[in-house]
Amino acid sequence: MILILGLIILIAAVVVGLAGIFGNTGAGHALGAGGDFSIFGYHATGSTGALFLIGIIVGAAALLGLALVMMGTRRSARRSARARREMGTSRREAAAMEREHEHAREREELIRQRDDARAETAAQDDARAGTAAPAAETAAPETDAPTDASSDAPRGRGRWFGHRTAHR
């Protein structure tokens, strides 16, 4: 909105300035004694000081319009940069979540393979011993393994950074 308002003011000031320049050429429009200066039918009679003051006002309007245009473009650029930054952040978060889900799927697959291998090994051991049990009884039940960090901790007396005796 500010950008459009600034463009309108700037264009109006340029049009007024150009109309004053191109509409008042020739000897009849000299500002000496009895000179006449007109813009869009408005006749400015008087001194060159009054005409200079009108020029200052038109220039100030042009400067105001240019300032509004610059402010509007800067604001738009900041908004775009913020949107790009947020989009990059959300893409990184989505990628991290996808990696986390992929890691969880791989972990579940490894747990399933481990359980299947244990069941198969147990069935082979039972077959060698002659006490073959049906495969349904030896297969490990499907459980939802916890995926939190506590499942990685050592079980029993073991500690991650606790005191341990030296091997002999």
Side-chain angles (χ1 to χ4, degrees):
M1 183 69 179
I2 293 175
L3 179 68
I4 294 171
L5 180 64
L7 280 173
I8 290 171
I9 293 172
L10 182 62
I11 290 171
V14 168
V15 166
V16 168
L18 289 176
I21 291 171
F22 292 121
N24 295 296
T25 57
H29 295 287
L31 288 179
D36 187 23
F37 188 83
S38 64
I39 298 175
F40 300 122
Y42 175 75
H43 296 283
T45 57
S47 68
T48 53
L51 184 61
F52 185 70
L53 181 63
I54 292 172
I56 289 175
I57 292 171
V58 170
L63 185 63
L64 174 68
L66 185 62
L68 288 175
V69 167
M70 296 301 289
M71 187 171 59
T73 56
R74 200 173 314 126
R75 183 177 181 189
S76 174
R78 275 192 310 239
R79 193 178 310 144
S80 297
R82 184 175 47 228
R84 281 192 303 271
R85 202 171 31 248
E86 289 173 358
M87 185 172 44
T89 302
S90 67
R91 283 183 181 169
R92 282 190 298 276
E93 288 174 355
M97 289 299 295
E98 181 61 33
R99 283 191 303 269
E100 185 177 316
H101 287 295
E102 183 64 30
H103 178 70
R105 284 191 292 269
E106 288 174 1
R107 182 179 172 94
E108 289 173 5
E109 178 64 23
L110 288 174
I111 289 172
R112 188 189 59 76
Q113 289 175 1
R114 181 197 62 196
D115 291 343
D116 290 346
R118 283 182 181 171
E120 185 178 325
T121 303
Q124 289 175 355
D125 289 345
D126 287 343
R128 283 189 209 135
T131 59
E137 292 178 5
T138 60
E142 289 289 326
T143 60
D144 292 334
T147 59
D148 60 345
S150 65
S151 66
D152 293 339
R155 290 170 180 67
R157 295 186 58 196
R159 302 284 182 258
W160 282 111
F161 300 106
H163 177 71
R164 297 183 185 166
T165 58
H167 295 289
R168 296 185 185 224

